[in-house]
Amino acid sequence: MPEIYITDTQAALAMHSHGGEFMKRLAECWMAGDPMNRARLKEAFRPEFDRYRARAAMDVQVAQAGAVPDMEKAHKHYTALAREAAERTGEDVLPEHRE
């Protein structure tokens, strides 16, 4: 399989899509920055950019393979697991998914 080139922008978008709150904010700062500040952020957070660059490459591979419809199946699976956990603990772990 050919190597997939991922831009800094794609890495930042992956941070925003898949990261926690800090990574989302870092991605927003990077996107708002001028070229000099983008370079400073990229250098300061190189391991994070590398990790999310790899994640973005995986996303591209999944999309190219046509595996995106499986996301619905995965969502149903993890929602069912969360409901089971809620029943066991008595906590409402899915308040936004009430039916």
Side-chain angles (χ1 to χ4, degrees), residues 3-19 23 26-27 30 38-39 41-62:
E3 187 173 334
I4 298 170
Y5 176 76
I6 300 297
T7 66
D8 292 339
T9 299
Q10 288 172 300
L13 290 171
M15 281 180 188
H16 200 269
S17 296
H18 302 294
M23 284 296 114
L26 177 60
W30 188 88
R38 283 182 172 192
L41 285 171
K42 183 178 160 188
E43 190 59 35
F45 294 95
R46 182 167 298 283
E48 290 80 5
F49 269 86
D50 290 345
R51 183 169 20 127
Y52 284 96
R53 188 179 312 282
R55 178 60 196 254
M58 287 183 356
D59 290 347
V60 169
Q61 288 174 335
V62 166

Side-chain angles (χ1 to χ4, degrees), residues 44-87:
F45 294 95
R46 182 167 298 283
E48 290 80 5
F49 269 86
D50 290 345
R51 183 169 20 127
Y52 284 96
R53 188 179 312 282
R55 178 60 196 254
M58 287 183 356
D59 290 347
V60 169
Q61 288 174 335
V62 166
Q64 287 175 346
V68 175
D70 290 340
M71 296 299 284
E72 180 68 26
K73 183 178 175 184
H75 175 70
K76 287 180 182 178
H77 171 75
Y78 287 109
T79 300
L81 289 177
R83 284 197 175 109
E84 288 176 21
E87 289 172 9

